[in-house]
């Protein structure tokens, strides 16, 4: 028999039992579809993590005020604040490239008859480099603005849009806490990031925030210190240096806990990548169960087919068909079923992933082509493996017993 004859015979056999064949093919479709969608979800989450950290940088370290918590209870002891002097001291370390003290508070920005509630951040100019903030219009304020507590403000992309300023924002005057501020720049749209600095935020020099906008009991106190290390710096060593420096500045005894928390974004990224990897394995494992069930369905169908066609097999062998011919015939039917299910499952899986994933994760779907190829190959191998036992069983039938079968 030629290849075309084998395919023709296989198709005739499959189409002869339409409902049974459809249900068997449906099992493969669901299995392949599930694998493609689950892998796409895992790849999308991984890409989202990578993009978030690439924007922030793995050589970024964040120091927060306050001791660590144990069982939801904050550990007492010592000074629970960070000061601008701490940031200046950290900036003197040889591994630190940029450092910025940081303080934030909710506020309302007013422009004409428009107003918008947002988050006000008092920072140093280095904050732009630490957070990789790009400007859409104008520029970020400089050192002189920080030194002189200038009334300069940088608007986040969304804030400028909500206030109706658009491209004409630079040079306009807005009011925060009844203080008139001149807009010197608007950030480029970037969405949410791991550092929490998205588009719905307003930046002013930290000194402006301290002296003009808000009065605090401790004027030089800050919530957080952001810093970026040099590219060749070792994060763990830098973290140890910062810890020793702050403990010394806060005059902590050896038996006292830290009054600050240090977050190394490189370690956070490694942890999240590990979690994402386990999640991807779990999703693929769950989806693979559907593919396994589909393969069992193929084997079941082929075994039923062998039982129903026992007399046909006997006639074939009686007129000279070899065992290899019988094996090829039944194997081809199994492969055709798996191939049809795989193709339809791939198309539906890719379409479903492109439609479903962005709505679930609010992020563009990252369809992994290697996952598509692997799913297709695995499905074909599954079809091949599922047909081996039924095909061998059919080939080993005794022609005389087969002819007597009713």
């Amino acid at each position: 028999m030629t290849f075309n004859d084998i395919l023709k015979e296989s198709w005739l056999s499959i189409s002869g039992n339409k409902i049974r064949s459809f249900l068997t093919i449906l099992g493969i479709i669901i299995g392949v579809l599930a694998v493609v969608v689950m892998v796409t979800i895992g790849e999308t989450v991984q890409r989202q993590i990578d993009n978030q950290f690439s924007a922030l940088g793995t050589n970024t370290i964040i120091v927060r005020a306050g001791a660590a918590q144990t069982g939801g209870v904050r550990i007492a002891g010592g000074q629970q604040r960070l000061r601008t002097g701490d940031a200046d001291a950290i900036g003197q370390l040889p591994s630190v490239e940029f450092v910025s003290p940081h303080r934030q508070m909710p506020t309302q920005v007013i422009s004409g008859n428009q107003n918008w509630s947002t988050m006000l951040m008092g920072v140093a100019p280095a904050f732009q480099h630490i957070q990789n903030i790009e400007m859409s219009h104008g520029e970020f304020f400089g050192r002189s603005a920080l030194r002189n507590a200038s009334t300069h403000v940088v608007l986040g992309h969304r804030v400028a849009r909500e206030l109706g300023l658009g491209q004409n924002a630079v040079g306009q005057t807005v009011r925060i806490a009844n203080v008139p501020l001149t807009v010197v720049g608007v950030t480029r749209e970037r969405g949410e990031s791991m550092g929490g600095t998205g588009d719905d935020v307003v930046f002013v020099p930290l000194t402006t925030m301290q002296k003009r906008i808000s009065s605090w009991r401790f004027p030089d106190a800050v919530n957080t210190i952001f810093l970026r290390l040099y590219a060749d710096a070792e994060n763990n060593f830098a973290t140890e240096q910062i810890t020793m420096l702050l403990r010394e500045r806060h005059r902590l005894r050896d038996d006292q806990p830290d009054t600050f928390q240090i977050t190394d974004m490189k370690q956070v990224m490694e942890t999240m990548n590990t979690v994402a990897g386990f999640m991807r394995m779990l999703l693929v494992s769950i989806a693979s169960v559907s593919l396994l069930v589909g393969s069992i369905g193929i084997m079941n169908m082929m075994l039923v087919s062998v039982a129903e066609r026992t007399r046909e097999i006997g006639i074939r062998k009686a007129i000279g068909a070899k065992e290899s011919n019988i094996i090829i015939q039944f194997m081809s039917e199994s492969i055709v079923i798996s191939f049809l299910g795989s193709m339809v499952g791939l198309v539906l899986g890719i379409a479903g992933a492109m439609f479903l994933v962005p709505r679930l994760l609010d992020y563009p779907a990252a369809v992994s082509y290697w996952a598509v190829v692997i799913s297709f190959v695995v499905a074909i191998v599954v079809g091949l493996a599922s047909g081996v036992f039924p095909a061998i069983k059919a080939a080993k039938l005794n022609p005389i017993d087969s002819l007597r079968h009713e």
Side-chain angles (χ1 to χ4, degrees):
M1 296 177 67
T2 64
F3 181 74
N4 290 335
D5 292 333
I6 294 174
L7 289 181
K8 184 178 179 180
E9 288 288 334
S10 299
W11 178 252
L12 288 174
S13 176
I14 293 171
S15 60
N17 298 278
K18 293 182 175 61
I19 296 179
R20 187 171 65 192
S21 299
F22 170 74
L23 293 176
T24 304
I25 293 173
L26 183 62
I28 296 297
I29 291 174
I30 294 174
V32 175
L33 185 153
V35 170
V36 172
V37 171
M38 292 300 184
V39 171
T40 300
I41 291 175
E43 290 291 329
T44 302
V45 171
Q46 183 66 61
R47 183 173 296 184
Q48 192 171 15
I49 292 173
D50 292 341
N51 288 343
Q52 294 283 357
F53 278 96
S54 64
L56 186 59
T58 56
N59 58 343
T60 301
I61 293 178
I62 303 174
V63 184
R64 293 183 173 86
Q69 296 182 358
T70 301
V73 179
R74 185 176 296 277
I75 299 174
Q79 177 184 353
Q80 296 288 330
R81 295 181 300 276
L82 292 172
R83 300 178 181 274
T84 53
D86 294 330
D88 294 337
I90 292 174
Q92 300 301 315
L93 295 175
S95 58
V96 177
E97 183 178 14
F98 296 106
V99 64
S100 171
H102 168 277
R103 183 146 193 154
Q104 66 181 34
M105 58 179 284
T107 191
Q108 190 173 56
V109 186
I110 301 174
S111 175
N113 60 352
Q114 301 290 329
N115 65 83
W116 182 252
S117 296
T118 184
M119 187 64 66
L120 175 65
M121 292 191 176
V123 297
F127 192 78
Q128 179 188 11
H129 303 289
I130 298 171
Q131 292 280 305
N132 295 319
I133 299 174
E134 298 181 359
M135 304 302 297
S136 174
H137 305 289
E139 59 185 9
F140 212 82
F141 48 80
R143 293 181 178 274
S144 61
L146 180 68
R147 184 170 53 252
N148 300 324
S150 300
T151 55
H152 292 172
V153 62
V154 175
L155 303 181
H157 185 273
R158 184 180 180 184
V159 176
R161 185 180 69 242
E162 296 293 342
L163 293 177
L165 298 177
Q167 298 181 359
N168 301 319
V170 177
Q172 298 287 332
T173 299
V174 299
R175 300 183 69 85
I176 297 178
N178 291 324
V179 177
L181 302 170
T182 302
V183 178
V184 296
V186 177
T187 65
R188 189 181 301 276
E189 185 175 8
R190 63 185 297 185
E192 296 299 323
S193 67
M194 296 298 297
T197 55
D199 302 317
D200 193 2
V201 67
V202 173
F203 301 101
V204 296
L206 178 61
T207 51
T208 303
M209 190 176 186
Q210 292 170 330
K211 297 178 181 179
R212 299 179 185 270
I213 298 177
S214 181
S215 58
W216 298 310
R217 180 182 175 185
F218 303 99
D220 62 340
V222 293
N223 304 110
T224 317
I225 298 174
F226 286 80
L227 60 106
R228 192 173 82 179
L229 306 177
Y230 286 102
D232 58 349
E234 176 58 43
N235 287 42
N236 292 335
F237 180 69
T239 300
E240 292 176 1
Q241 285 186 313
I242 295 169
T243 301
M244 293 175 59
L245 175 64
L246 291 180
R247 287 187 63 85
E248 181 180 350
R249 289 184 57 83
H250 291 189
R251 299 176 182 177
L252 298 175
R253 300 189 305 272
D254 293 341
D255 60 338
Q256 289 182 301
D258 295 337
T259 57
F260 50 87
Q261 302 173 56
I262 300 179
T263 302
D264 182 355
M265 300 310 295
K266 183 177 181 180
Q267 292 182 353
V268 174
M269 181 177 181
E270 291 173 352
T271 301
M272 294 191 69
N273 281 336
T274 301
V275 173
F278 281 119
M279 187 192 73
R280 289 163 63 189
M281 291 176 60
L282 178 62
L283 292 175
V284 172
S285 299
I286 294 173
S288 298
V289 173
S290 301
L291 200 55
L292 177 61
V293 172
S295 69
I296 294 174
I298 294 178
M299 182 179 294
N300 180 66
M301 176 185 171
M302 297 308 300
L303 287 173
V304 173
S305 180
V306 170
E308 290 179 344
R309 297 161 63 186
T310 301
R311 189 174 181 83
E312 173 192 332
I313 295 169
I315 294 174
R316 286 175 180 268
K317 297 188 75 172
I319 61 177
K322 300 178 181 179
E323 289 188 359
S324 59
N325 299 131
I326 303 297
I327 291 176
I328 291 174
Q329 181 62 45
F330 280 88
M331 290 289 292
S332 64
E333 292 179 19
S334 177
I335 293 174
V336 168
I337 291 173
S338 183
F339 178 79
L340 291 175
S342 300
M343 292 302 296
V344 176
L346 283 176
V347 173
L348 294 180
I350 294 174
M354 297 297 290
F355 175 81
L356 184 64
V357 172
R359 285 160 178 77
L360 288 176
L361 303 178
D362 194 25
Y363 197 81
V367 179
S368 176
Y369 293 102
W370 68 264
V372 170
V373 173
I374 290 177
S375 298
F376 178 75
V377 172
V378 168
I380 297 299
V381 171
V382 163
L384 189 64
S386 301
V388 168
F389 178 70
I392 293 176
K393 181 179 179 180
K396 295 298 182 181
L397 289 176
N398 188 300
I400 297 177
D401 295 335
S402 300
L403 290 172
R404 291 175 178 174
H405 183 79
E406 294 294 338

